[in-house]
Amino acid sequence: MKKISHKKIEKICIELFKKKKVKKNIYSPVVNCLIETSLRGVDTHGIRLLPHYLRVIDTGRINTNPKIKIKTTNKTTAILDADHTYGHYACDIGVQKAIKMAKKNGSGFVVIKNSTHNSAGAFYSLQPAKKGMIGISFAHSTQGMIPTNSKEKFFGTNAFSISFPCLNEDPVCLDMATTQISWNKVLNYLSQGIKLEGDYAVDKKGNSTNDPKLAYGLLPTGMHKGFGLGLIVEMFCALLSNGPYGPDLTDMFNENELSKKRNLSQFVGAINISDFINLKIFKKRSLEMINRVRLLKSVNNKKVMVAGDPEKITKKNRIKNGIPLNKELIKEYNQLIVMYNLNKKFII
């Protein structure tokens, strides 16, 4: 691993998108999301995805000149047609719309359709939370979860994120897949040639495996409970948008499908806390609650943490010391830097 300044990586990403003639208003949320996600330690959904995001411009999957359409259906609801552009851009527009509705009417919810991968849900749920609201983000994905008692996969890893503000520190943020691990983590381990941690994956026969080469599907978090949560995420995304789900979605990395549109759906929302309780009181009680949890006696001498604590610690460290990149990712970035004739100063 080699640690690289997030500012340098950010500049590389921006320059590469410029070379691909992507407009600033479109690439900015993509870059911001990837950098923020890697700073928080969610490496599976961070800067490692940039080479793929650039590649699918050439295959025709990504529309870099989309005609975004937002249909406001009520005071608190809207539907956004992403026109097959980057999911980060579409969801960023969606969450800003949700915040605006929540400020005026108490809550705001936006369904995004005809979208693509939007990386980590925390990037979207944190935005309302930083404005004194509860932030919500749901995103479905290509089939990868093995339903309880099944040998076949059906729903995706179907992640969701919920954030809320806290006094004198960044918001509390839960960001999780409804499987024990994400499929991107399997691919990340596969690229590094290392075994998976824990019994989270199964092979095509339904047997547990920690070999990423043999992994066919992923087990739900908490068995049938995670499966149920995955179903709920699918409802918020595919059913509300009237879009495809599970087996009917285009795979993200399949070489034979890179030119196909993904037709993903997402759901983002904001709830105005001030319409329920004084925001200052909420933030104060929020801090009191999580600190009481943090002060609980540990069974193994490790700190008791609440959702988002590990990411806060990692972000502080990586802002200071840089984001760790493995040899494979450094090679990919350097190849792109040479391919697109970027200044040699960007070589990692």
Side-chain angles (χ1 to χ4, degrees):
M1 290 287 187
K2 185 177 180 180
K3 294 181 178 179
I4 309 297
S5 163
H6 72 283
K7 291 293 185 182
K8 179 173 183 176
I9 300 172
E10 182 180 47
K11 289 178 181 177
I12 294 171
C13 293
I14 289 172
E15 291 303 313
L16 286 169
F17 273 117
K18 285 181 179 179
K19 289 287 186 177
K20 300 298 289 184
K21 301 188 184 307
V22 179
K23 297 173 183 177
K24 184 177 181 180
N25 65 315
I26 294 176
Y27 74 65
S28 288
V30 181
V31 174
N32 291 341
C33 180
L34 295 183
I35 296 297
E36 177 68 14
T37 301
S38 285
L39 282 175
R40 297 179 76 247
V42 189
D43 295 312
T44 53
H45 288 63
I47 58 172
R48 68 173 289 272
L49 294 175
L50 177 74
H52 174 77
Y53 288 157
L54 294 173
R55 186 181 180 194
V56 288
I57 294 175
D58 296 331
T59 66
R61 171 180 287 174
I62 294 292
N63 182 1
T64 56
N65 291 292
K67 294 180 180 178
I68 300 289
K69 296 178 182 178
I70 302 180
K71 181 182 179 181
T72 302
T73 55
N74 209 316
K75 291 181 179 180
T76 61
T77 56
I79 301 171
L80 186 153
D81 189 331
D83 195 22
H84 307 289
T85 192
Y86 286 108
H88 320 68
Y89 174 52
C91 287
D92 191 61
I93 293 174
V95 80
Q96 293 307 316
K97 174 70 172 177
I99 290 170
K100 186 177 180 180
M101 289 190 292
K103 282 182 178 179
K104 185 176 181 180
N105 302 306
S107 63
F109 302 100
V110 181
V111 172
I112 295 103
K113 65 180 184 179
N114 295 324
S115 186
T116 60
H117 192 250
N118 70 340
S119 191
F123 183 72
Y124 313 102
S125 73
L126 281 168
Q127 291 184 50
K130 290 175 181 177
K131 295 182 180 295
M133 301 180 181
I134 296 168
I136 300 169
S137 171
F138 294 95
H140 70 170
S141 57
T142 314
Q143 61 178 147
M145 176 194 286
I146 303 290
T148 304
N149 298 328
S150 172
K151 280 188 178 181
E152 298 181 83
K153 54 190 177 182
F154 193 87
F155 294 126
T157 53
N158 290 14
F160 68 91
S161 180
I162 299 175
S163 300
F164 58 89
C166 185
L167 186 66
N168 298 329
E169 65 174 88
D170 287 342
V172 177
C173 176
L174 172 67
D175 185 11
M176 58 173 279
T178 51
T179 50
Q180 292 279 11
I181 56 175
S182 69
W183 193 254
N184 273 326
K185 191 162 191 174
V186 176
L187 297 176
N188 196 20
Y189 277 48
L190 178 63
S191 70
Q192 297 180 63
I194 56 179
K195 300 291 185 182
L196 297 170
E197 302 165 4
D199 299 323
Y200 303 144
V202 296
D203 60 22
K204 288 187 175 182
K205 294 182 179 180
N207 299 317
S208 178
T209 181
N210 64 354
D211 186 343
K213 292 180 181 178
L214 299 178
Y216 162 74
L218 299 172
L219 296 174
T221 300
M223 300 179 290
H224 62 282
K225 296 180 181 180
F227 170 43
L229 287 173
L231 172 68
I232 295 302
V233 171
E234 201 67 73
M235 178 275 293
F236 272 102
C237 297
L239 298 190
L240 285 183
S241 71
N242 196 28
Y245 55 81
D248 303 325
L249 290 168
T250 302
D251 188 80
M252 183 172 180
F253 295 108
N254 188 321
E255 289 292 324
N256 298 320
E257 296 186 335
L258 290 181
S259 62
K260 293 183 180 180
K261 305 297 185 185
R262 295 205 67 200
N263 294 304
L264 294 183
S265 301
Q266 289 102 15
F267 179 95
V268 293
I271 300 171
N272 196 6
I273 291 169
S274 296
D275 288 328
F276 292 91
I277 185 174
N278 180 281
L279 183 58
K280 290 182 179 179
I281 294 175
F282 179 93
K283 286 184 175 181
K284 184 178 180 181
R285 296 200 71 215
S286 171
L287 179 64
E288 176 191 284
M289 179 176 69
I290 63 175
N291 276 341
R292 287 182 68 181
V293 174
R294 290 164 175 163
L295 291 172
L296 293 173
K297 293 180 180 178
S298 170
V299 71
N300 53 11
N301 294 320
K302 293 182 179 180
K303 288 182 178 180
V304 178
M305 298 186 186
V306 298
D309 278 357
E311 290 84 356
K312 290 177 183 178
I313 293 169
T314 301
K315 183 177 178 179
K316 185 177 180 180
N317 176 273
R318 290 188 174 186
I319 285 175
K320 180 180 179 181
N321 301 310
I323 297 172
L325 277 68
N326 61 41
K327 291 181 180 178
E328 291 77 13
L329 191 53
I330 289 173
K331 182 179 178 181
E332 280 191 276
Y333 265 73
N334 285 338
Q335 286 176 339
L336 288 170
I337 290 166
V338 172
M339 183 188 303
Y340 290 100
N341 297 311
L342 298 194
N343 193 306
K344 291 183 179 179
K345 69 179 181 180
F346 288 124
I347 294 290
I348 299 172

